[in-house]
Amino acid sequence: MASVEIRDVRKAFGSTQVIHGVNIEIEDGEFVILVGPSGCGKSTLLRMIAGLENISGGEVRIGDRVVNDVPPKERDIAMVFQNYALYPHMTVADNMAFSMKLRNAPKPEIEQRVSKAAGILGLEKLLDRYPRQLSGGQRQRVAMGRAIVRDPQVFLFDEPLSNLDAKLRVQMRTEIKELHQRLKTTTVYVTHDQIEAMTMADKIVVMHDGIVEQMGAPLELYDRPANLFVAGFIGSPSMNFVKGKIRAGAQPSFEADTGGVYPLNTAPAGSDGMPVVYGIRPEHFQLADNGLSAEVVVVEPTGSETQVVAKIGTQELVCIFRERITAKPGETIRIAPDPNLVHVFDAQSGARIS
Amino acid sequence: MSDSVAGRVPAPAVRHPTWWDRLRINRNWLGFWFMAPAAAILILFLAFPLGKGVWLSFTDAKIGRAGSFIGLENYEWLGLPWWRDSDGVFWLSVFNTLVYTIVASIVKFAVGLYLAILLNQNLPFKAAIRSIVLIPFVVPTVLSAIAFWWIFDSQFSIISWSLRHLGIIDYNINFLGDPNNARASLIFANIWRGVPFIAITLLAGLQTVSPSLYEAATLDGASKWQNFRFVTFPLLTPIIAVVMTFSVLFTFTDFQLIWAMTRGGPVNSTHLMATLSYQRAILAGNLGEGAAIATAMVPFLLFAIMVSWFGLQSRKWQQGGEDS
């Protein structure tokens, strides 16, 4: 096991720069998830750690060794690919043993390690099968088995769950997290799915357009997003954003351009009239008699909760309530954002204000 | 699963199909109907001529005479190689055909695979080079045969000319006049023609190999050679089996190239079974005898097909499951 350090790493394909100086420190045994929309450079960064892409600038360290010019096979890392990249002409056992066979490891050691990995992943009965004879989840497990057998310093996962159906994805999420808790190998995991990031990571790195927007523990990112991008990216359904101005004073408030006055706990000094974006998560609305009156647009009951799209002025807001809502579209309900859980961002820079 | 139907919506009664309905809409019969036109064409234009050819080999038909059934007499004339009175020219042609097919196929495979791997790299002008490789395949055989005829000409050969001017040889090489030179020249021409087909087909096969397999193998510690040995080659074997079957069949039955360049000479040293059969049947007029020679090719071809059939039978790893 080892720590991974990414220092001012840059990547350019020809004249297009796709990663503009990224700094990430990954501690020994940590589970770090790189998350961001497609094209943000997260996969490229992972492939640079693996050695599948050249590093155009900066430094990548695994342990205390700079690996910029170390060939992939000497970096002591194992990678799980999005399409699993299982060798179709090899059985499950051979797939897992391949790296050790290339190293001319003694046969008993190979067998012992393969059966141990198979035991961890519940693959004992599938060892003689070929990849084509496996289901998606089983293939996924074999791909992980191939990584486990190597007992590497670092696991790299490149969107490993994207090819699975929704139900299996949830199950494999748990399995990967369990696996990490058991093996405690440093893991870097790339995904575009923020729920995967939230549920599995020790630390989330949110990337966007080749830079790191914010880095931190999942709930830290959820509770205190550093800017509009992170606020909108983390959380599902995503945060509601309302444009408007701060009204400071004894009882500060927020006046939306689209109509309506929203509650605020505090306003920074001299912020009266300042143009801001008011952010409120769907689950931070409550039904309250003294709330803002809103017109119901759509009601979506899921059983455990009810999602309501409501309009204040011309602004549509997504709200989630634990209670069941019987209101019909067109009717008026009264909703109150929890002022303690409101986020305020600078309208110009998008940075967090309070 | 339980047989309980409680709570289900009952299905309406269904009319049972008659035998006529079955003939029209049963999947198996439907398959038969769709296949029938193709089968009819195959029987008319492939099976019938083949059967007719085999029948001819059992007769003493000549051009202009229908001939009558003479059993295996034509084959007895051909004899077996260790018989004292066997047909030496025929057995020479068998030998030539085997040498021609085996040598040309092996070289074509080696060069074709090498070219395919080369063309699969990121070369500059990749598209242009790929089309250039196809040229020998596109040129009509007779045209390229005539070109080679000139290249190998005893007086005007460009090869002899160049070597003479470089001072390497003193006399023109007798390419098509010496038995072994003639065989080598023909094999060379056949290779030149056959390589593109193999190279392009294998290239297509190479491109179906997912790049992430190479990345995975590289991370697993495989060198370039090990990548080829353990990933590329095993994944390419099914397509190699197909392409080499075709290559062997086409080479074995080659006619045009030989006929245009040497007509089987000198002293029958480049006669293949196909050219000899044509010479005996059409030029000499002994249809029965020619047909017997042509029919004698069938066991060899069947053998080649059997080899690839068993080699081709989809390997275990190709079976089962949906495509990934």
Side-chain angles (χ1 to χ4, degrees):
Chain A
M1 282 187 277
S3 59
V4 177
E5 206 180 329
I6 294 163
R7 261 194 221 155
D8 195 29
V9 162
R10 289 157 197 283
K11 176 71 187 176
F13 290 107
S15 58
T16 10
Q17 192 158 357
V18 292
I19 292 180
H20 314 270
V22 164
N23 289 291
I24 303 171
E25 272 184 36
I26 299 162
E27 278 164 40
D28 193 4
E30 206 172 19
F31 196 121
V32 169
I33 294 192
L34 307 179
V35 65
S38 46
C40 72
K42 55 192 191 297
S43 278
T44 310
L45 189 61
L46 190 80
R47 290 166 62 83
M48 286 199 284
I49 300 174
L52 296 172
E53 299 280 356
N54 293 326
I55 298 166
S56 311
E59 211 174 76
V60 173
R61 282 168 180 269
I62 297 176
D64 38 17
R65 186 165 62 137
V66 178
V67 295
N68 283 30
D69 298 317
V70 176
K73 64 172 175 177
E74 285 162 33
R75 294 191 184 193
D76 202 8
I77 41 122
M79 185 155 167
V80 176
F81 291 82
Q82 180 176 354
N83 62 0
Y84 321 131
L86 299 180
Y87 311 118
H89 56 293
M90 295 184 199
T91 60
V92 168
D94 288 337
N95 259 286
M96 296 208 276
F98 187 57
S99 62
M100 299 192 67
K101 278 186 186 157
L102 289 177
R103 266 185 287 140
N104 289 320
K107 238 185 169 172
E109 193 198 337
I110 296 182
E111 272 167 23
Q112 184 239 326
R113 283 224 219 168
V114 167
S115 68
K116 190 178 156 206
I120 291 174
L121 294 162
L123 291 170
E124 295 100 329
K125 287 190 182 140
L126 304 176
L127 285 175
D128 294 328
R129 298 258 196 107
Y130 287 91
R132 280 189 68 124
Q133 300 164 319
L134 303 177
S135 68
Q138 289 168 336
R139 286 180 206 177
Q140 172 64 55
R141 266 188 221 120
V142 175
M144 291 200 287
R146 206 164 58 177
I148 292 172
V149 164
R150 306 224 356 229
D151 190 20
Q153 305 255 24
V154 184
F155 279 141
L156 304 176
F157 288 87
D158 188 5
E159 309 220 13
L161 304 184
S162 307
N163 286 6
L164 300 179
D165 63 56
K167 208 169 173 182
L168 204 53
R169 204 177 300 165
V170 175
Q171 188 190 330
M172 291 307 295
R173 215 156 71 190
T174 319
E175 272 186 38
I176 294 178
K177 196 169 178 178
E178 266 177 21
L179 189 71
H180 177 255
Q181 283 162 2
R182 185 164 167 182
L183 301 174
K184 299 201 167 41
T185 309
T186 314
T187 303
V188 185
Y189 184 111
V190 161
T191 178
H192 61 264
D193 180 352
Q194 54 92 20
I195 294 191
E196 262 173 48
M198 291 296 287
T199 50
M200 297 165 75
D202 293 327
K203 181 155 85 186
I204 297 180
V205 179
V206 181
M207 292 186 67
H208 182 217
D209 284 345
I211 56 161
V212 173
E213 294 276 359
Q214 193 177 357
M215 198 169 2
L219 292 180
E220 201 179 304
L221 262 59
Y222 185 83
D223 292 338
R224 290 186 62 80
N227 53 44
L228 272 175
F229 179 79
V230 177
F233 193 77
I234 300 286
S236 170
S238 50
M239 192 186 279
N240 297 295
F241 293 125
V242 188
K243 284 184 185 148
K245 289 183 184 66
I246 289 184
R247 290 278 165 253
Q251 181 55 55
S253 62
F254 167 81
E255 191 186 323
D257 294 346
T258 49
V261 176
Y262 297 68
L264 260 189
N265 256 1
T266 52
S271 63
D272 189 43
M274 180 181 177
V276 293
V277 175
Y278 182 92
I280 177 82
R281 293 205 183 273
E283 56 272 34
H284 295 155
F285 283 101
Q286 276 155 2
L287 289 172
D289 291 340
N290 60 351
L292 301 152
S293 75
E295 184 195 338
V296 174
V297 180
V298 176
V299 180
E300 298 174 343
T302 63
S304 64
E305 58 192 23
T306 310
Q307 184 170 323
V308 176
V309 180
K311 237 175 155 163
I312 296 179
T314 54
Q315 176 75 44
E316 281 197 357
L317 296 162
V318 179
C319 318
I320 291 175
F321 303 107
R322 303 294 300 183
E323 44 287 65
R324 300 204 167 169
I325 309 285
T326 49
K328 299 261 177 316
E331 289 177 8
T332 303
I333 54 172
R334 290 193 160 267
I335 54 174
D338 183 339
N340 294 314
L341 297 171
V342 158
H343 310 266
V344 179
F345 303 96
D346 187 310
Q348 212 113 67
S349 68
R352 179 183 191 82
I353 295 177
S354 62
Chain B
M1 226 187 253
S2 87
D3 289 323
S4 163
V5 291
R8 282 201 206 150
V9 180
V14 181
R15 188 178 67 93
H16 283 280
T18 63
W19 65 270
W20 174 239
D21 286 331
R22 287 213 179 124
L23 222 52
R24 280 189 312 149
I25 57 173
N26 177 286
R27 286 182 66 89
N28 297 330
W29 276 106
L30 212 57
F32 175 80
W33 295 129
F34 281 131
M35 213 181 63
I41 290 171
L42 285 178
I43 290 170
L44 190 63
F45 293 111
L46 282 175
F48 174 71
L50 182 66
K52 180 84 179 169
V54 173
W55 166 251
L56 265 180
S57 74
F58 296 124
T59 69
D60 58 356
K62 288 188 174 13
I63 289 181
R65 195 183 80 191
S68 52
F69 182 77
I70 55 166
L72 291 173
E73 204 173 304
N74 283 325
Y75 295 96
E76 281 165 33
W77 278 110
L78 297 178
L80 287 167
W82 52 88
W83 290 5
R84 201 148 15 102
D85 59 349
S86 66
D87 185 339
V89 176
F90 167 73
W91 285 105
L92 180 65
S93 80
V94 173
F95 169 78
N96 290 337
T97 310
L98 289 176
V99 170
Y100 186 73
T101 306
I102 292 169
V103 175
S105 295
I106 290 173
V107 178
K108 274 191 278 192
F109 171 66
V111 177
L113 182 61
Y114 176 75
L115 259 181
I117 291 169
L118 214 62
L119 291 176
N120 200 31
Q121 314 286 323
N122 266 327
L123 300 171
F125 312 114
K126 190 159 67 177
I129 297 175
R130 280 183 193 171
S131 359
I132 290 171
V133 166
L134 265 180
I135 287 178
F137 192 55
V138 175
V139 176
T141 312
V142 174
L143 187 62
S144 54
I146 291 173
F148 270 109
W149 189 28
W150 274 105
I151 290 171
F152 292 138
D153 188 88
S154 55
Q155 280 186 60
F156 306 110
S157 162
I158 185 165
I159 302 174
S160 296
W161 183 88
S162 312
L163 291 177
R164 255 191 310 132
H165 278 73
L166 288 169
I168 297 170
I169 53 171
D170 297 325
Y171 302 101
N172 275 1
I173 300 170
N174 192 6
F175 282 109
L176 298 180
D178 173 84
N180 283 331
N181 281 356
R183 284 181 186 135
S185 306
L186 282 175
I187 288 174
F188 180 85
N190 179 279
I191 291 168
W192 180 82
R193 261 196 71 70
V195 159
F197 170 64
I198 293 175
I200 294 296
T201 316
L202 292 184
L203 176 63
L206 280 177
Q207 290 181 336
T208 64
V209 180
S210 156
S212 63
L213 285 183
Y214 296 125
E215 292 178 346
T218 307
L219 291 178
D220 272 345
S223 62
K224 278 235 151 134
W225 163 248
Q226 285 169 324
N227 251 317
F228 175 77
R229 166 76 187 74
F230 296 116
V231 180
T232 313
F233 193 77
L235 291 178
L236 220 51
T237 43
I239 203 156
I240 289 175
V242 177
V243 79
M244 286 319 289
T245 308
F246 276 103
S247 175
V248 166
L249 294 190
F250 289 148
T251 313
F252 197 92
T253 56
D254 197 2
F255 174 83
Q256 286 188 64
L257 198 66
I258 314 292
W259 202 252
M261 281 172 71
T262 64
R263 306 208 165 207
V267 229
N268 299 322
S269 63
T270 59
H271 250 316
L272 301 191
M273 292 166 87
T275 52
L276 187 68
S277 159
Y278 176 80
Q279 194 184 48
R280 297 266 173 97
I282 308 299
L283 301 186
N286 298 316
L287 289 175
E289 199 185 328
I293 294 171
T295 308
M297 293 166 77
V298 172
F300 291 98
L301 296 174
L302 277 182
F303 175 75
I305 292 171
M306 295 298 263
V307 168
S308 70
W309 171 265
F310 288 110
L312 256 179
Q313 275 190 333
S314 69
R315 283 152 190 75
K316 241 174 152 185
W317 56 268
Q318 291 177 295
Q319 295 168 353
E322 79 283 27
D323 227 327
S324 60

